[in-house]
Amino acid sequence: MSDAPTVARRVTLAARPNGPVTDDCFALVEETLDPAAPVAAGQVAIRVDTLSIDAFIRTTLEERSYHRGARMGGVIPALGVGTVTASAVDGIEPGDQVFGPLGAQTHAVLPGMMVRRLDVSKVPATAYLGALGMTTGLTAYFGIVEVGAVGAVPGNDTVVVSGAAGAVGSMAVQIARLSGAARVIGIAGGPTKCAYLVDELGADAAIDHRQGADAMADRLRELAPEGIDVFFDNVGGEVLDVALDQIAERGRIVLCGAISQYEHMDDVRGPRNYLKLAERHARMEGFAVTHFESSFPQAEAVLGGWLADGRLAMREHVEHGLDAFGASLRKLLDGGHHGKLLLRVDDSGS
Ligand SMILES: NC(=O)c1ccc[n+]([C@@H]2O[C@H](COP(=O)([O-])OP(=O)(O)OC[C@H]3O[C@@H](n4cnc5c(N)ncnc54)[C@H](OP(=O)(O)O)[C@@H]3O)[C@@H](O)[C@H]2O)c1
């Protein structure tokens, strides 16, 4: 670190949301760091460059969180990439780019075992939050290939993806196509996102969920007259009910997430049409990406290969400044982005 004092800033939890998340939930706290303070053995000091704005952040704001909850007054959990400024860990040097649970802050100090040194020779560091990211590319990969078993019989599956123009969804659409799905249909909000699914991500067709449940059901019937073989669900609620109603015999529903429920976690609504699972000998299976941790390197190699030869793409939507953290999280929930939503952390205090 330089000898000039550094002002670190962090976003802390000021109040738990009561319904939709608002600015009052967050406080921006500043602290002057001692530039002469040594980093403790086994730790690395990191300047946070970019945060991954992920749906799980919303659920951590609840007291009884589906994921591990954020502490009142504590830094809001977030994954990110940053630059090492000081290190007391062998193999990690100042200047290295690292990935880890850096938190919504400008500076982090973490045990070396919690961060990963990144190879940025072929892809930028932000690729490890998006296409190669645990909560994005890897989640889509394991959901499509392992849980949904898309491509087990190549050319066999009609795959439908909800939240398809978002981070996980846009990866799931492309991975389904690359894994041998017969047909890939994306569901997203609005005509611009629907065009993006077909024109940029290579989906065979798109459905606008903002037209309402009946219109969604009619369009799905037209596009998948034999039913849905694999439904990769990011959304839950009404969209899940529409898909359940049209699940094929022996169809699979991949429960990746249910973002329509995250603003009222104490009153989560399950699917009304779940008896279709019995009627059609279908199954619904949930997963967390961490269940596949031992296979991360293999999946990353596959995704990295597709990325390198141009078969996989990830659009990044970048917001700027730690003060925009709350607004960025709301943007994720409201769908004001295409692809991966990132927050570039401006370190104006140092
Ligand atoms: N299982 C796992 O390990 C794992 C890991 C990471 C993420 N996930 C899950 O993956 C999902 C997507 O996360 P992400 O970070 O990639 O977010 P994202 O898809 O980039 O953003 C969320 C999208 O959800 C859509 N949406 C929000 N409310 C909706 C509603 N009521 N009905 C229909 N669509 C709605 C919005 O798109 P539109 O504009 O199209 O409505 C928005 O863009 C989340 O459910 C998350 O929990 C699961």
Side-chain angles (χ1 to χ4, degrees):
M1 280 195 210
S2 83
D3 285 346
T6 298
V7 178
R9 298 191 304 147
R10 52 184 66 107
V11 181
T12 61
L13 182 62
R16 296 202 187 273
N18 179 16
V21 68
T22 57
D23 280 344
D24 316 344
C25 298
F26 305 112
L28 199 58
V29 176
E30 293 195 348
E31 182 197 350
T32 302
L33 301 180
D34 175 1
V39 63
Q43 307 260 315
V44 281
I46 301 154
R47 191 189 66 233
V48 181
D49 296 324
T50 305
L51 294 175
S52 176
I53 302 298
D54 284 307
F56 82 83
I57 296 172
R58 173 62 186 86
T59 64
T60 64
L61 307 182
E62 303 291 330
E63 182 136 35
R64 288 172 44 189
S65 176
Y66 156 36
H67 299 96
R68 194 149 26 106
R71 210 172 30 81
M72 283 300 297
V75 178
I76 305 292
L79 300 172
V81 290
T83 308
V84 174
T85 54
S87 171
V89 174
D90 285 345
I92 300 183
E93 304 295 334
D96 284 349
Q97 301 277 293
V98 290
F99 161 83
L102 306 186
Q105 56 189 342
T106 56
H107 296 77
V109 177
L110 288 173
M113 60 183 290
M114 288 180 72
V115 301
R116 171 184 170 195
R117 190 173 165 271
L118 299 175
D119 176 1
V120 290
S121 61
K122 296 191 186 75
V123 291
T126 53
Y128 294 94
L129 303 177
L132 305 179
M134 183 175 82
T135 54
T136 303
L138 295 182
T139 297
Y141 180 87
F142 292 112
I144 289 288
V145 174
E146 296 291 337
V147 185
V150 173
V153 181
N156 203 45
D157 294 323
T158 292
V159 179
V160 177
V161 177
S162 67
V168 174
S170 61
M171 283 290 112
V173 165
Q174 297 176 83
I175 294 167
R177 194 167 43 74
L178 290 164
S179 302
R183 194 166 170 70
V184 184
I185 300 163
I187 301 177
T192 312
K193 285 192 176 178
C194 286
Y196 168 63
L197 295 181
V198 175
D199 299 343
E200 288 188 41
L201 302 183
D204 296 287
I207 299 176
D208 181 357
H209 71 78
R210 294 205 190 133
Q211 301 292 317
D214 291 345
M216 222 184 334
D218 289 346
R219 185 90 176 104
L220 207 43
R221 226 169 270 118
E222 252 169 58
L223 292 169
E226 309 294 323
I228 303 166
D229 297 301
V230 178
F231 179 52
F232 184 103
D233 192 21
N234 286 311
V235 166
E238 191 172 65
V239 177
L240 172 58
D241 268 320
V242 168
L244 265 167
D245 197 39
Q246 297 187 42
I247 196 74
E249 288 285 326
R250 295 207 177 249
R252 288 94 74 195
I253 294 183
V254 180
L255 171 47
C256 176
I259 201 162
S260 70
Q261 306 299 306
Y262 295 171
E263 297 271 43
H264 49 87
M265 289 296 284
D266 52 353
D267 183 28
V268 170
R269 295 298 159 112
R272 235 178 343 103
N273 284 337
Y274 82 100
L275 291 178
K276 295 291 173 192
L277 295 174
E279 186 184 318
R280 313 264 165 82
H281 200 164
R283 67 179 166 85
M284 182 161 170
E285 184 177 337
F287 77 104
V289 66
T290 45
H291 298 144
F292 295 95
E293 202 160 359
S294 60
S295 304
F296 282 5
Q298 294 93 309
E300 193 180 305
V302 174
L303 294 172
W306 286 335
L307 207 54
D309 65 20
R311 286 190 285 167
L312 191 67
M314 168 56 89
R315 202 196 273 195
E316 291 180 351
H317 176 120
V318 185
E319 295 288 322
H320 292 271
L322 204 57
D323 354 25
F325 181 81
S328 302
L329 184 57
R330 279 200 304 278
K331 182 162 278 187
L332 184 91
L333 296 160
D334 296 342
H337 64 296
H338 287 59
K340 181 70 199 175
L341 184 55
L342 299 171
L343 180 68
R344 177 92 201 152
V345 176
D346 293 327
D347 185 14
S348 51
S350 65

